[in-house]
Amino acid sequence: MNASVYARRRRVNALMLAATAACAAVSAGVLLGILGYIAWKGASSLSWSFLTELPKPVGETGGGIANSILGSVKVVGLAGLMGIPVGVASGVYLAEYGRTGRFAFCVRYAADVMNGVPSIVIGLFAYALVVMPMKRFSALSGSVALALIMIPIILRNTEEFVRLVPGTIREAALALGVPRWKVAAFVVLPTAGRGIATGALLALSRAAGETAPLIFTAFGNRYWDQGLLGPIATLPHTLYNYAISPYADWHQQAWAAALILMAFMLAVNVAARVWLRPPSTGAL
Amino acid sequence: MTAAAGERFGDRIFRLSLAAAAGLILLAALALAVQLSWASRATWAQFGPAFLWGRTWDPVAGSFGALPFLYGTAVTSALALLIAVPLGVGSAVFLTELAPRRLADLLGFAIELLAAVPSVILGLMGVFILVPAVRAVEPELTRTLGFLPFFRGAPYGVGFLAAGLILALMILPYITTVAREVLRTVPPPLKEGMYALGATRWEVVRGVSLPYARSGIFGACFLALGRALGETMAVTMVIGNAPDISASLFAPGYSMAAVIANELAEAAGDAHLSALIAIGLALLAVTVVINGLARLMIYRLERRA
Amino acid sequence: MNPTMDTEPPAAPAAPASGTAAPAAETILSVRGLRAGYAGGAPVLKGVSMDVRARAVTAIIGPSGCGKSTLIRCLNRLHEALPGAFCDGEVLLGGRNVLDWDPVLLRREVGMVFQRPNPFPTMSVFDNVAAGLTLNGERDRVKLAERVETSLRRAALWDEVKDKLRSPGVGLSGGQQQRLCIARALAVEPRVLLMDEPCSALDPIATARIEELLLEIKDQLTVVIVTHNMQQAARVSAHTAFMLSGELVEFGPTQGLFTKPSDKRTEDYITGRFG
């Protein structure tokens, strides 16, 4: 009797443990499946002209997505120029001056809230803030949306890394007769620099993959953009347009675009991982 | 002490400019709510709260009700949680309790990478792989589970089921990562005590680790729910984009995020625009509440640790 | 410059009778009735008075938690940088109360070396030593190079690092790192150097090198060293202060204090009966 109870417990144990292993295998397997499939489908449509040419008129086959790649670089770059300084500065503020206090608490809470706001809603905000007053779709409005997405991520990451800088380093600098702000800017910040830079890079890559907030801000464009105040094509948005189109040729191009985007994301994430083991909650 | 005053001046300038940057975030969060409320005021004035339970969405006739979108968002998110929670928690248990360290690191990284896959790429996979697969499976589901209303209807492929599945994939990494971190915080003596009583590994997981980690895992689920509610691209690409309310999971539907993505750029007039922004405001409110609850659970857990 | 501050008379108010003052001749730092602690907590220093002789080593000994670290951290006002910390009384440097100074300027006069070596992680050996100057705006490369070399020589580190000035400061051994920190403090040319248990994280050989270096610089610089190690105090200092529970129990020439302590508590401590 006792032996059979024990045998049953062991069977349940083995079964449940196998089930958890299966869960992990499925989860990780999905990623491998996605990567493999995109590589396979995308590689066959990837070519030099795809990377360097403008899209062909609707109905003609061939053409490329050069304008989307350049557009993504511009929109994401501008977003970085706006978002990284603000995110890093406020992260440093929270870590250096705002460990306690109501204002710091509110900022931290606002950052958490903004981090949880869906990117499409951020897009709506940028639309109401920039597109409606200017009465035109623009690269600028897309960048504002992406910057708003990046800021809370960079802020919490920066705060975490600046907090990791030991107090003894601050004291060493203060004891040399260095003013507090120089201690923060020239000693503490460089010490946390690698972590902050990695976080900023990850935030940039996250922004580079966003589509939803760009649909009605950057809007898309079949040609080269006419500066930052006009509509502009971006890689994920073009990918989306091609994917939902009825043309087989565009589907092929969507896969190739997906390969480029995925390769970029993968490179950034692996590089960040190798360069630095992120602190535990980096993903959130 | 002019030099000294100069130093203090530098400190103040530095601190104030950092605080200004921080204040910008506070301002953005407030402006977000105010802007969306203001830009959607026409809709609230015309329909009042009834906008949220109006069942028709006809931009041409100027009739706006958000219920089909609320329904679609709720159904797909619930379906996603139903699939992703067991899968994610199971993975987390495997990674923390069973897998050798290096394998756990590798698998854990692969699952985290899943979170880095852009939504639009998952949508692409959804359109060309998931939807045909779902279309092939649906008749089979009708045959076996057709006594339930959820599994009846024509096999379109696109619809709630496909959207729920792809959403499950998108939130899976969040659940796994947080659950894994929480499971790591289970104090070893608790587990050892149970082992000493002759418990099997699974019994320790079920009797000690999971109960200990419960509030953190709930927090992870809420966080994931927050993500699921607002996910746009992948859902838009596979949900079918039909503002209908159907009991069947096979039927095409619509979600709040998807209708904004699809219709805003080509909104037919100010009333349409205002109604779409009103949906955005509702989405904002729901995600803020859900995320607030999740933060609360996780903050509480951090205080305990 | 605040005139009231400038004309502050160097005369000290009557000190609480918690310690005996050393001879006033050559006094550089006078501590008068110094009280310090944290808001809402018991005071850490309960009115300490002592005079520090110029160009000599003064040691402060006492059991853990007696307030000796807090005392020297008040001397360069680093104590106040901690949240909730307060500090009042008088610390006269050259006759003026440093508690009224700008702490930033004060710290250029009163340098500090800490318990654990704390070189700046992102800086090279050279940049570490030069940090106090470059961060305060010194751009003259020739002057910087000269000052770095002099400081490293005074810290007895030059020969070991002269070929790797461009390599990271954190790449040195623990003892070398601590001497690097000493060089860094010396490069600012302070009048007083505070050392807070500088050898507590070092092995005996590295400790011996620091002590040698202290004996070499003691004639040029005022050093106040907090140490847990009575032998160290006996070896390196001219005067020793013994502290207990936030009070200065005894202060006098090192030899006298260790051979003929006048207070029973000092005797108990140096003979190892407690602490």
Side-chain angles (χ1 to χ4, degrees), chain C residues 99-166:
Chain C
L99 300 188
D100 299 329
W101 288 25
D102 180 336
V104 170
L105 296 183
L106 169 67
R107 291 172 193 143
R108 293 179 200 164
E109 305 280 334
V110 183
M112 190 169 207
V113 175
F114 296 82
Q115 279 195 20
R116 294 180 172 278
N118 51 3
F120 300 130
T122 50
M123 295 186 193
S124 67
V125 170
F126 185 96
D127 291 342
N128 257 288
V129 179
L133 301 170
T134 48
L135 286 175
N136 282 314
E138 180 60 59
R139 292 278 173 274
D140 183 345
R141 285 165 167 259
V142 179
K143 186 179 170 194
L144 284 174
E146 271 173 21
R147 192 74 75 84
V148 167
E149 181 174 345
T150 328
S151 309
L152 282 170
R153 282 190 191 283
R154 289 178 80 192
L157 189 60
W158 175 254
D159 291 333
E160 292 161 62
V161 299
K162 66 181 178 211
D163 298 325
K164 42 182 174 183
L165 291 175
R166 292 285 151 217

Side-chain angles (χ1 to χ4, degrees), chain B residues 1-5 7-8 11, chain C residues 1-2 5 96 101-102 105 108:
Chain B
M1 285 197 178
T2 45
E7 307 289 8
R8 292 210 196 88
D11 276 346
Chain C
M1 194 167 282
N2 188 334
M5 207 182 295
R96 281 171 30 213
W101 288 25
D102 180 336
L105 296 183
R108 293 179 200 164

Side-chain angles (χ1 to χ4, degrees), chain B residues 65-104:
Chain B
L67 192 64
F69 312 111
L70 293 170
Y71 176 78
T73 296
V75 169
T76 50
S77 301
L79 194 58
L81 278 183
L82 222 58
I83 299 165
V85 170
L87 209 55
V89 174
S91 305
V93 167
F94 178 75
L95 295 181
T96 40
E97 309 276 338
L98 279 178
R101 222 201 122 98
R102 289 183 57 185
L103 179 67

Side-chain angles (χ1 to χ4, degrees), chain B residues 66 68 130 178 188 212 215 242 261-262 280 300:
Chain B
L130 185 66
V178 180
Y212 184 90
S215 84
N262 274 334
R300 192 180 299 159

Side-chain angles (χ1 to χ4, degrees), chain A residues 202-221:
Chain A
L202 286 174
L204 275 175
S205 94
R206 157 103 191 265
E210 282 289 349
T211 313
L214 298 179
I215 297 176
F216 39 82
T217 53
F219 191 68
N221 194 333

